[in-house]
Amino acid sequence: MITPRPLGLYLHIPFCVKKCAYCDFYSITDASRMDAYTDALIRSIHEYGEKSAGRTTDTVYLGGGTPSYLGGARLECILHAVRESFALAEDTEITVECNPESTDAVLLDALRRGGANRLSFGVQAAHDNELRRIGRIHDFARARSAVLLAHEHGFSNISLDLMYGLPGQTQDMFLDSLTQCLALQPTHLSCYGLKLEPMTEMGREAPVLPDDDAQADTYLALCRVLRQHGFEHYEISNFALPGFRSRHNSKYWDLSEYIGLGPGAHSLFDGRRFAFPRDIAGFTDGTAAVRNEEEVPDFERQNEYLMLRLRTSDGVELRDLEERYHVDPAPYEAVFRALAKPGLTEQNGTRWHLTDAGFLVSNSIINMITDAASR
Ligand code: SF4
């Protein structure tokens, strides 16, 4: 019998001090619901711990929202419940997302006691005018001191989030933010281009952003600088020093199974996908039933595999198409070869992956490949 790969566990913490102007993640600002939510999440952890009996879990990720805003005591209880309910591997990666304004010594001590070994800070920019423009409530001095405090508390695996393509931001301004972030000695960086989501404050306001060419140049410069600093570009928006890739997020990209708990959280577990509705009240009182409980058909899985793997520098393994999905890889290979001529794809043995230039047009390439699949 084949032993299933270890699970990932995602816990959604849907609270933020204030909604950022660009954000459409599910979160609320009513802190009076935190205790009841924590109790409900712990109940859910126990329930799904039982459902996953016999499986090992080797990554835990507390994301949000703003997990650090929930406070050290609640987070410690949550992490304790995870240890009680899930069979954690000895080397489990336990990540907690933190925002600078809610990170202090009390929180970091609690996270250490809870076993967290990786922190991800939402820094976004090193210039206070840019931070204000996108509705962040911290300034860079606060972000810097939070990250330095985390180092002092023994957290050596630290990821920073940064954004480019902000209104009025030039490439030099972004690269200056990047340099200031690199001085904080992160092991990992996630760099996202700003997208205007229609239901957000900035989406409604529709400010002028740097044009596509400027954003593409910034992206290519960012890839270059991080490579010079020894970072591997292992996913479209993610960069890690050797040995420091996000093991949890990598599960999403290689179609490993994971359980997601909390409003808006998704799961791929026992071959089924399901999600909790974006409804904190329903989650807290136990009336929010999971939805989309359907088996994932083979064809959909194969497309999903292509779509997710093409986001990564490891790319698509042609043998996987044959062995996992029983399809002839020849038509895919023909598309990959055609795209190699203009420098959008590269071959590495039996693997094909997108180049930095390919990542810039990844959506079109993914469409071409999935078209080849449907033919
Ligand atoms: S702190 Fe994060 S989750 Fe909360 S509103 Fe801002 S971007 Fe969204």
Side-chain angles (χ1 to χ4, degrees):
M1 198 177 117
I2 300 169
T3 312
R5 282 188 285 181
L7 286 171
L9 175 64
Y10 174 80
L11 304 173
H12 191 63
I13 309 296
F15 297 96
C16 292
V17 181
K18 174 184 168 285
K19 203 75 196 157
C20 300
Y22 57 89
C23 174
D24 75 342
F25 291 145
Y26 181 71
S27 65
I28 62 167
T29 54
D30 179 2
S32 70
R33 290 169 176 258
M34 284 181 176
D35 283 332
Y37 181 75
T38 302
D39 290 345
L41 186 60
I42 288 174
R43 281 196 297 278
S44 190
I45 288 168
H46 289 316
E47 181 188 338
Y48 279 85
E50 277 176 28
K51 287 183 178 171
S52 66
R55 298 278 300 264
T56 303
T57 298
D58 70 350
T59 65
V60 179
Y61 193 104
L62 275 71
T66 308
S68 52
Y69 181 39
L70 196 66
R74 295 188 189 93
L75 292 172
E76 203 180 335
C77 291
I78 290 169
L79 289 170
H80 180 71
V82 169
R83 282 186 191 286
E84 271 182 349
S85 307
F86 285 82
L88 295 189
E90 212 170 293
D91 65 341
T92 299
E93 175 192 88
I94 303 181
T95 305
V96 181
E97 286 183 354
C98 295
N99 272 346
E101 69 281 354
S102 46
T103 299
D104 58 18
V106 174
L107 174 92
L108 294 167
D109 284 338
L111 294 182
R112 292 286 295 176
R113 285 194 301 272
N117 49 28
R118 183 172 184 271
L119 301 181
S120 173
F121 282 95
V123 174
Q124 315 308 354
H127 306 124
D128 294 344
N129 58 336
E130 291 172 38
L131 290 168
R132 276 193 301 275
R133 180 69 186 84
I134 58 174
R136 300 293 299 198
I137 56 173
H138 67 270
D139 57 19
F140 185 66
R142 184 69 203 244
R144 188 173 175 281
S145 60
V147 176
L148 295 179
L149 192 64
H151 280 299
E152 279 167 26
H153 277 71
F155 287 98
S156 52
N157 190 0
I158 292 180
S159 177
L160 305 180
D161 285 356
L162 263 180
M163 293 174 78
Y164 61 92
L166 306 182
Q169 187 189 52
T170 61
Q171 185 182 125
D172 284 349
M173 287 159 80
F174 173 78
L175 293 179
D176 181 65
S177 282
L178 184 62
T179 303
Q180 296 203 50
C181 282
L182 286 170
L184 302 177
Q185 299 187 309
T187 50
H188 186 280
L189 281 149
S190 298
C191 301
Y192 296 99
L194 172 66
K195 283 208 178 62
L196 296 176
E197 302 291 349
M199 301 306 283
T200 62
E201 193 183 318
M202 286 184 88
R204 286 186 287 273
E205 197 187 307
V208 176
L209 304 182
D211 65 29
D212 288 353
D213 286 348
Q215 295 210 36
D217 286 347
T218 299
Y219 178 80
L220 294 173
L222 138 78
C223 298
R224 216 168 31 244
V225 169
L226 287 180
R227 203 163 279 135
Q228 283 160 5
H229 281 79
F231 284 77
E232 296 169 351
H233 185 185
Y234 74 104
E235 194 267 349
I236 292 185
S237 308
N238 286 283
F239 304 80
L241 291 178
F244 289 97
R245 295 181 181 198
S246 163
R247 284 166 45 202
H248 183 81
N249 288 340
S250 296
K251 287 190 188 291
Y252 302 137
W253 302 318
D254 72 7
L255 281 174
S256 292
E257 293 206 319
Y258 54 91
I259 291 174
L261 303 177
H266 291 257
S267 299
L268 172 58
F269 178 51
D270 273 350
R272 294 188 314 164
R273 284 198 175 283
F274 53 90
F276 286 92
R278 289 163 66 116
D279 169 13
I280 186 169
F283 185 84
T284 304
D285 67 19
T287 57
V290 293
R291 60 177 170 75
N292 294 340
E293 293 199 62
E294 86 278 7
E295 301 270 333
V296 183
D298 263 4
F299 180 72
E300 224 174 87
R301 279 195 198 210
Q302 160 201 327
N303 272 353
E304 203 175 21
Y305 167 85
L306 287 164
M307 207 168 72
L308 293 170
R309 295 304 307 163
L310 285 174
R311 295 185 60 92
T312 70
S313 61
D314 290 338
V316 169
E317 166 59 71
L318 294 176
R319 278 184 311 224
D320 275 353
L321 289 169
E322 274 181 305
E323 286 163 17
R324 286 167 79 159
Y325 306 106
H326 314 293
V327 293
D328 175 9
Y332 303 93
E333 198 171 8
V335 179
F336 286 130
R337 273 195 199 289
L339 293 170
K341 287 188 190 124
L344 299 174
T345 57
E346 264 172 13
Q347 186 175 18
N348 183 3
T350 48
R351 286 184 174 274
W352 282 90
H353 65 92
L354 303 191
T355 59
D356 290 347
F359 280 145
L360 273 172
V361 287
S362 61
N363 287 343
S364 318
I365 295 180
I366 288 165
N367 285 340
M368 284 173 75
I369 306 275
T370 48
D371 274 358
S374 59
R375 282 199 299 275

